Amino acid sequence: MTTAAKNAPIPTPPSPHRALDVFFKIADAWKLTIEQQITLLGAPARSTFYKWKKEGGLLSADTEERISHLAAIYKALQIVVPDPHAADAWIERPNKYFGGRSALDVMLDGKLTDIYAVRVYLDAQRGG
């Protein structure tokens, strides 16, 4: 091992709370109720939800994937709808692509595939 390799900084793993931090910031921007947040996270027990909100915690692969898609939806909206307030309000507006339902209504059906459907729609809108 070379001296440079010995002195190279050890990469710091991402914070275990990073995904939850991202989710709660999005939830605030979208003005989601507690019930909506719990549904979007995959319906954890209320005690688990409040623990995550207060101090973080381990997430299932399903919850991590949900948050990843929600973050991608949030980012895509910032690109497609340049006004931040309009971008945040977009999820509540009726959309003919979703049969007149809002994107939020679709995502609140509770399945990961519902969140993914909104992401696919927005990715197509931004040309990605």
Side-chain angles (χ1 to χ4, degrees), residues 90-104:
W90 180 89
I91 66 159
E92 293 189 44
R93 288 199 301 261
N95 187 311
K96 64 182 175 184
Y97 180 81
F98 300 123
R101 299 173 72 206
S102 72
L104 182 58

Side-chain angles (χ1 to χ4, degrees), residues 30-77:
W30 289 350
K31 297 175 177 53
L32 300 176
T33 67
I34 297 297
E35 292 305 320
Q36 291 171 328
Q37 292 176 52
I38 288 171
T39 298
L40 291 176
L41 287 170
R46 288 182 81 78
S47 59
T48 300
F49 171 80
Y50 284 111
K51 180 180 183 284
W52 286 346
K53 193 156 176 96
K54 183 176 180 181
E55 60 194 60
L58 294 176
L59 303 176
S60 69
D62 176 76
T63 301
E64 286 181 2
E65 188 171 355
R66 287 167 176 274
I67 294 171
S68 174
H69 290 307
L70 291 165
I73 289 166
Y74 181 84
K75 182 178 178 180
L77 281 170

Side-chain angles (χ1 to χ4, degrees), residues 1 29 42 60 65 67 71 83 85 90 92 116 121 126 128:
M1 183 180 288
S60 69
E65 188 171 355
I67 294 171
D83 176 286
H85 297 295
W90 180 89
E92 293 189 44
Y116 184 71
Y121 171 79
R126 70 178 182 89

